[in-house]
Amino acid sequence: MRAVGRGKSALKSGVKRLLGRAGFDIVRSANNLGGVDDFIPFEATMRAAQAADLSVGDYIDEVMNGTPGATQSTIDELRALGVFAANPGTVLEIGPGSGRYLEKTLKECSPGRYEIYETAAPWTTYLVDTFGVVAQPTAGCSLAPTPDGTVDLVHAHKVFNTVPFLGASRYFFEMARVTRPGGRIVFDAMTEACLDPVAMRAWATKGGTGHDSYPAALPRRACVDLFATLGCNLEASFLAPMGVATTEVLVFGKRA
């Protein structure tokens, strides 16, 4: 199945088509300041986005998260780094959720196959119906259905700052496994670069209460060193908005 970005009209038709399906369900919000136990409701979010005349992704950025343009700014940085320049033929995204990065990625490249690993069934159905992506069975810790060395671009956004250390680590091994030599791996994490005293105070005082598991921090050096042992070099990094502070986006290239 060919993945195709169909633009705003497709998103609206997807909203209208899927609103009539099973009622209230949930998906994790990586940016929700309440933590990993708080979620984005499928039906309510779709209705609100439609009422605001925004794509679902733009609605989440602008209204729910209060960080307008955050997703697009990340995509712009990745474009400038040449991540989409080779027009990757196969793309895999972990935890696309509402599809806000998926939608914008498909405007940058035209992969013949776009795989997703998403645990929230209503959002998965929406993404498959709207964008023609391939939903893989999801265990929440592996990419087992995807063969070794078959993906040109593996990416995840606002995922690894919402899961525990071991879950992130297991995914890192899998990401390196499925990426072909010469391919790219992109993900963000809350590293030391995001944790100066001002940012730590902001999270401690404004980042919500009752959920100390979000955001989850990861040592940058540990990530870089691990991927180096898996044949992947860090090519670039940059900070991106997240909640009351930032997250660091890391771009790795797998050695040929």
Side-chain angles (χ1 to χ4, degrees), residues 26-229:
I26 55 178
V27 62
R28 177 169 295 144
S29 167
N31 279 347
N32 193 309
L33 298 184
V36 297
D37 295 324
D38 290 317
F39 299 86
I40 298 177
F42 172 73
E43 183 177 348
T45 302
M46 299 291 271
R47 290 187 186 280
Q50 185 179 25
D53 196 30
L54 293 170
S55 71
V56 176
D58 287 345
Y59 176 79
I60 292 172
D61 273 355
E62 295 180 22
V63 180
M64 297 184 73
N65 292 334
T67 54
T71 300
Q72 188 61 55
S73 68
T74 295
I75 295 296
D76 290 344
E77 290 274 6
L78 295 176
R79 183 197 311 116
L81 291 170
V83 169
F84 308 113
N87 198 23
T90 302
V91 176
L92 184 155
E93 185 173 355
I94 301 169
S98 63
R100 63 189 189 272
Y101 290 91
L102 188 159
E103 172 198 357
K104 294 183 185 301
T105 296
L106 287 175
K107 292 179 180 178
E108 299 293 332
C109 58
S110 301
R113 182 177 177 86
Y114 197 120
E115 298 184 9
I116 63 170
Y117 284 80
E118 173 55 55
T119 58
W123 287 109
T124 298
T125 300
Y126 162 70
L127 296 177
V128 170
D129 286 357
T130 304
F131 299 105
V133 297
V134 177
Q136 294 283 29
T138 304
C141 62
S142 79
L143 309 173
T146 302
D148 296 0
T150 56
V151 182
D152 299 293
L153 171 61
V154 177
H155 64 139
H157 303 273
K158 310 298 172 60
V159 171
F160 296 123
N161 35 48
T162 71
V163 298
F165 167 75
L166 285 179
S169 300
R170 290 172 180 137
Y171 267 126
F172 292 162
F173 285 100
E174 285 288 271
M175 293 163 81
R177 176 185 66 80
V178 303
T179 303
R180 69 163 180 81
R184 291 305 202 356
I185 296 171
V186 175
F187 65 90
D188 67 285
M190 177 168 280
T191 67
E192 301 92 319
C194 312
L195 292 172
D196 61 41
V198 173
M200 291 181 70
R201 180 176 294 276
W203 282 114
T205 59
K206 303 174 184 176
T209 57
H211 303 291
D212 291 340
S213 58
Y214 171 84
L218 276 172
R220 186 181 197 272
R221 176 48 56 188
C223 292
V224 173
D225 288 350
L226 175 63
F227 275 96
T229 69

